[in-house]
Amino acid sequence: MAVRRSVTRLSAFEKTRYVNGVKELTRRGIYQWFVNIHSDATRNIYFHRHPWFLPWHRQFLLFYEDRIRSVLGDPTFSLPYWDCVQDWTNAQRSGTNL
């Protein structure tokens, strides 16, 4: 079973596994497809205002995650998440600009 973890809490192995997955997608020419789809979708000024944005983005990420699982041959891989509230709070406490 795949479990999502904060990007700030990934082990060195988990970070390397993710990077290796992205590198393999890039080598196969698949990563650029994801970049293009996301870029094309977000160029539309109204894209983020539509009610279907969140379901679309969720499916997009699930598809991306599935492609990484496939190239890694690891059904337990899951994309990390970024906790913008927690990371913002920590950055403010430490005086770091995000």
Side-chain angles (χ1 to χ4, degrees):
M1 176 183 206
V3 177
R4 294 200 190 288
R5 296 184 52 184
S6 170
V7 71
T8 62
R9 298 190 183 275
L10 295 179
S11 68
F13 170 76
E14 290 167 323
K15 288 177 188 176
T16 299
R17 181 172 58 166
Y18 175 64
V19 168
N20 287 343
V22 172
K23 284 181 177 180
E24 184 58 24
L25 288 179
T26 301
R27 188 186 73 73
R28 295 181 185 194
I30 300 169
Y31 184 78
Q32 191 60 47
W33 180 85
F34 282 100
V35 171
N36 292 343
I37 293 294
H38 197 264
S39 178
D40 288 348
T42 56
R43 273 192 205 120
N44 182 330
I45 191 169
Y46 301 106
F47 183 75
H48 286 94
R49 296 180 186 168
H50 282 287
W52 45 259
F53 168 71
L54 290 177
W56 177 88
H57 203 265
R58 174 83 172 140
Q59 286 301 309
F60 180 80
L61 290 176
L62 288 172
F63 188 59
Y64 176 62
E65 179 180 65
D66 189 55
R67 295 291 72 82
I68 293 178
R69 282 183 184 148
S70 178
V71 298
L72 291 176
D74 182 356
T76 66
F77 172 82
S78 63
L79 285 175
Y81 64 87
W82 177 52
D83 184 343
C84 60
V85 173
Q86 185 65 42
D87 292 341
W88 177 259
T89 302
N90 290 341
Q92 293 301 306
R93 285 187 197 139
S94 68
T96 305
N97 291 325
L98 292 178

